[in-house]
Amino acid sequence: MKSTPSHIRTAAVICGALLLAPAGFAGPVPPNIPHPEAFKTPGEFADALRRQVDRQAEELRKKSNPDGSVREAPKHGDLEQAYKDALRNNPMKRLPADPDNKQDPARIAPPSDLIASSDILCHRGKATLVPKRAILVAPEGLANRMKLDKGAQILNWADFFKANRDWIRTVEVTRPQAEGVEPLPETTSEMVKTAKTLVVATFQGGPISVLPLKVAAATPETPTPDTP
């Protein structure tokens, strides 16, 4: 059993003595404090108080920490040192540098084949790529935002859209609608016709190409055999 610190036991003994001292130990005694009349001398009573404090402290430890391990609250200095160690031991710093390209990867121009299959949205030094045919409406006033500015930082779609909600609107479509198997809802089609902002089709939150609606080929009628 772990011993209770002496200052805690002393405080408990003093509190017990103060509770019981008035009127010569007269009056009701709290249930968690030994009754003084059961002891011959004040010294025995004080020892009983200490033992009671030890028992209660041990019970509290078991309730708050059933597995028995010692858990101490982290100090400010420990947290600060852990943060410094994490920065110093960052594994990304140990990666070899690219001798041919020391630019920030986010600022490197995307491969040409990716650009060929994508449309570019760019504004205020930030840019993103969306699949071809994902842009349903592109107002003429926003044409200058559909080209990549030199040195622009490439962002993923979610971050770029979050920062440009004032001039971009999205329309969620289903996969059959994106494949051109099913038409867009009438409300969506009407909105697209009158939209003043750039409209991007999305599937589950990400930009997606919307193919033209496929028209089923007319089935030629089977000629009816002439009857005699």
Side-chain angles (χ1 to χ4, degrees):
M1 178 184 297
K2 298 180 181 179
S3 60
T4 303
S6 59
H7 66 280
I8 297 179
R9 293 188 297 179
T10 302
V13 172
I14 294 175
C15 291
L18 291 175
L19 288 171
L20 303 175
F25 298 146
V29 178
N32 60 337
I33 295 179
H35 200 288
E37 295 181 358
F39 304 94
K40 297 180 179 179
T41 65
E44 293 180 359
F45 172 61
D47 290 339
L49 281 178
R50 292 190 186 94
R51 290 192 296 271
Q52 180 67 13
V53 168
D54 288 339
R55 284 194 296 269
Q56 292 179 354
E58 183 64 20
E59 291 175 0
L60 289 175
R61 274 195 296 267
K62 291 181 179 180
K63 290 180 180 179
S64 61
N65 192 11
D67 58 4
S69 60
V70 178
R71 300 175 183 176
E72 296 182 356
K75 300 178 182 179
H76 176 74
D78 297 335
L79 294 177
E80 184 176 357
Q81 185 61 41
Y83 175 73
K84 292 180 179 179
D85 292 341
L87 292 179
R88 184 172 56 254
N89 299 326
N90 185 356
M92 297 300 293
K93 295 182 178 181
R94 297 194 292 270
L95 294 178
D98 185 356
D100 300 325
N101 192 349
K102 296 183 182 298
Q103 300 183 49
D104 182 353
R107 294 183 177 273
I108 300 175
S112 57
D113 56 343
L114 179 60
I115 293 181
S117 61
S118 306
D119 284 324
I120 298 173
L121 300 178
C122 188
H123 186 49
R124 295 178 179 176
K126 311 292 183 181
T128 193
L129 302 178
V130 297
K132 291 285 188 182
R133 297 183 179 274
I135 299 178
L136 303 181
V137 177
E140 293 183 2
L142 299 176
N144 62 334
R145 301 184 184 182
M146 297 184 64
K147 59 183 180 179
L148 184 63
D149 295 337
K150 184 177 180 180
Q153 180 184 4
I154 304 298
L155 301 180
N156 61 45
W157 162 252
D159 291 339
F160 185 85
F161 176 59
K162 183 178 180 180
N164 296 277
R165 290 176 179 270
D166 55 329
W167 58 278
I168 300 177
R169 181 174 180 178
T170 61
V171 173
E172 188 73 8
V173 299
T174 64
R175 184 170 292 279
Q177 291 169 350
E179 294 173 349
V181 178
E182 296 179 0
L184 297 176
E186 184 177 352
T187 54
T188 300
S189 299
E190 292 299 323
M191 183 275 293
V192 167
K193 293 178 182 179
T194 59
K196 304 294 183 181
T197 59
L198 188 139
V199 180
V200 178
T202 58
F203 176 70
Q204 296 181 352
I208 188 172
S209 301
V210 177
L211 301 179
L213 183 63
K214 299 176 182 178
V215 180
T219 304
E221 295 182 1
T222 303
T224 304
D226 295 336
T227 57

